[in-house]
Amino acid sequence: MEIRVRCNCREENEGGGGCKEWAIVELQGVVEPQPGFHDSLPNLQIGTLCRPSSQEVYTLTIGYHELTGSKVPLKKPMLVLKKVKHSPTDRGESSGCGEVELQVVGIIRHRILFKNRPKAIISKPQPTSEERQKSIMLGSVPSNQAS
């Protein structure tokens, strides 16, 4: 059985820039969604990935946890492929089984490795307008009144 691998990257990117760059996000441990999200796992947003200052340091925020990771090159690049089946009627053939073709979607040359334990993000709740007014009023009244 012959399987063709086709790359349309140069056609899709008019400048001839090659395939789209992908990266692997590697975490130590397990990410478990809450029980209510098991039905919508394919479109579930896990967290926010940021590159704050340099290209080698990344932060991943998941809920109240923040992870710091680094960009590491892979020893061998990997391809991201999409399997496409062509039926015999598509090619004008009357007999035989359909052909299988693999299309290159992207190439992976790096991984973002998060190998340290996450930091807990503790945020202070924002004061209400009444609390702000009270603190301003208390701050303007002298605490020691000499008689």
Side-chain angles (χ1 to χ4, degrees):
M1 175 181 194
E2 181 180 317
I3 300 175
R4 294 183 185 182
V5 177
R6 183 175 63 167
C7 182
N8 294 336
C9 298
R10 296 208 190 276
E11 296 170 11
E12 291 175 5
N13 300 336
E14 295 173 6
C19 294
K20 292 182 181 177
E21 289 281 331
W22 286 41
I24 296 174
V25 176
E26 185 174 331
L27 302 171
Q28 304 297 320
V30 179
V31 176
E32 293 183 5
Q34 293 177 351
F37 290 107
H38 284 291
D39 297 334
S40 61
L41 281 180
N43 296 322
L44 182 64
Q45 180 179 353
I46 296 172
T48 305
L49 180 66
C50 297
R51 186 179 63 202
S53 57
S54 72
Q55 294 212 4
E56 302 300 320
V57 178
Y58 289 81
T59 59
L60 177 64
T61 306
I62 302 174
Y64 294 108
H65 304 284
E66 183 178 82
L67 297 124
T68 303
S70 59
K71 187 175 178 181
V72 180
L74 293 175
K75 291 181 182 178
K76 293 182 181 180
M78 296 192 297
L79 292 176
V80 180
L81 302 172
K82 176 180 166 184
K83 185 177 182 180
V84 179
K85 291 183 181 180
H86 297 288
S87 64
T89 55
D90 290 345
R91 304 230 181 223
E93 300 172 10
S94 58
S95 64
C97 60
E99 287 187 21
V100 175
E101 181 177 85
L102 298 175
Q103 292 180 351
V104 177
V105 177
I107 187 166
I108 302 171
R109 291 193 174 104
H110 296 92
R111 65 182 175 155
I112 302 170
L113 178 62
F114 296 96
K115 60 182 177 181
N116 298 327
R117 295 183 65 87
K119 289 189 307 185
I121 300 174
I122 302 171
S123 61
K124 193 174 175 181
Q126 297 295 323
T128 63
S129 61
E130 288 179 17
E131 291 173 342
R132 272 189 244 139
Q133 287 177 350
K134 284 181 184 178
S135 65
I136 291 170
M137 291 171 62
L138 291 175
S140 63
V141 175
S143 59
N144 295 340
Q145 293 182 356
S147 329

